[in-house]
Amino acid sequence: GIQVEQSPPDLILQEGANSTLRCNFSDSVNNLQWFHQNPWGQLINLFYIPSGTKQNGRLSATTVATERYSLLYISSSQTTDSGVYFCAVTSRGGADGLTFGKGTHLIIQP
Amino acid sequence: DAGVIQSPRHEVTEMGQEVTLRCKLISGHNSLFWYRQTMMRGLELLIYFNNNVPIDDSGMPEDRFSAKMPNASFSTLKIQPSEPRDSAVYFCASSLQGSSNQPQHFGDGTRLSIL
């Protein structure tokens, strides 16, 4: 099946810093989603972005489908951004269930 | 609009007991997914349904696990008998599958502990 690799696995930043999280995938995708899992365990939809660029406030994401990667940008980090960020995909021509990466654990220090 | 609703939020039970997890889809959605999250294996798909029909159950661990959709808006995941290794967070997600893929929306999960 499709493989999803996220980097870095861990990231510690000071409040106000910017960060870039990366997701590489091994095959063409129909669906790519970024999630934030907060300290209460909830999976929050950030972006549905199988291709192109989207922005939502301090967050933006870009997927270059032809090169099989996606980037999540967080600007002016806040402590509430802490948590685990997951990239998940469904492969083109494959089943519809999402395959998740292992996540990036982000800690924003005040 | 209400999101995906899961119940219970937490369940603690003894080994050997039957466990039933419940999920209500977002109104109008026609695809339903069950996922499990553990420290060892991360987030993994267990089973998914499209228009009430199970499409892929290859992720279901073993015969002790079963999932149903008794109607278009509701699903259950049962474990019988439960074992300590079933302890995990179980998520349900729904989406609207049509001519193009749509995002999946997740419930808040059920944290299951088997003693």
Side-chain angles (χ1 to χ4, degrees):
Chain A
I2 193 168
Q3 305 297 313
V4 181
E5 293 186 4
Q6 292 187 242
S7 60
D10 301 282
L11 188 58
I12 301 175
L13 298 172
Q14 294 297 121
E15 203 167 18
N18 302 329
S19 59
T20 301
L21 282 57
R22 187 176 179 101
C23 171
N24 291 335
F25 42 94
S26 61
D27 203 351
S28 300
V29 298
N30 275 335
N31 179 359
L32 188 147
Q33 292 181 245
W34 283 98
F35 296 89
H36 174 213
Q37 187 163 40
N38 63 23
W40 296 270
Q42 295 171 312
L43 280 169
I44 310 299
N45 269 315
L46 297 178
F47 294 103
Y48 168 68
I49 187 167
S51 63
T53 297
K54 291 186 178 180
Q55 180 154 8
N56 184 3
R58 296 181 296 104
L59 274 60
S60 63
T62 294
T63 297
V64 184
T66 53
E67 298 187 21
R68 300 183 183 170
Y69 73 89
S70 183
L71 302 173
L72 178 68
Y73 305 97
I74 305 174
S75 64
S76 304
S77 301
Q78 300 176 357
T79 56
T80 51
D81 295 330
S82 296
V84 183
Y85 289 80
F86 289 103
C87 169
V89 303
T90 61
S91 61
R92 190 179 299 275
D96 288 338
L98 287 167
T99 298
F100 282 79
K102 295 184 184 298
T104 292
H105 187 196
L106 177 64
I107 297 174
I108 305 298
Q109 297 178 332
Chain B
D1 287 341
V4 174
I5 299 173
Q6 291 188 245
S7 64
R9 288 297 311 278
H10 304 273
E11 174 92 11
V12 180
T13 192
E14 292 187 347
M15 182 175 67
Q17 297 297 306
E18 178 179 289
V19 173
T20 300
L21 310 182
R22 296 174 174 83
C23 175
K24 185 175 186 302
L25 285 67
I26 291 173
S27 177
H29 282 189
N30 62 352
S31 289
L32 181 281
F33 305 81
W34 283 101
Y35 294 88
R36 180 172 68 175
Q37 185 176 28
T38 61
M39 290 293 292
M40 291 294 293
R41 299 174 65 89
L43 276 151
E44 54 183 349
L45 176 72
L46 298 178
I47 186 171
Y48 83 91
F49 295 81
N50 195 34
N51 293 321
N52 299 9
V53 176
I55 302 300
D56 181 2
D57 66 354
S58 59
M60 295 287 262
E62 47 198 271
D63 292 345
R64 297 184 297 107
F65 285 69
S66 63
K68 293 182 180 179
M69 283 197 73
N71 58 58
S73 61
F74 185 73
S75 177
T76 59
L77 177 67
K78 285 191 177 181
I79 309 172
Q80 169 61 24
S82 57
E83 296 182 3
R85 61 191 167 124
D86 302 330
S87 299
V89 180
Y90 290 81
F91 287 99
C92 168
S94 74
S95 71
L96 178 61
Q97 298 296 324
S99 57
S100 61
N101 278 297
Q102 297 293 318
Q104 294 182 23
H105 299 266
F106 281 70
D108 287 345
T110 294
R111 186 173 297 275
L112 177 63
S113 297
I114 308 297
L115 306 177

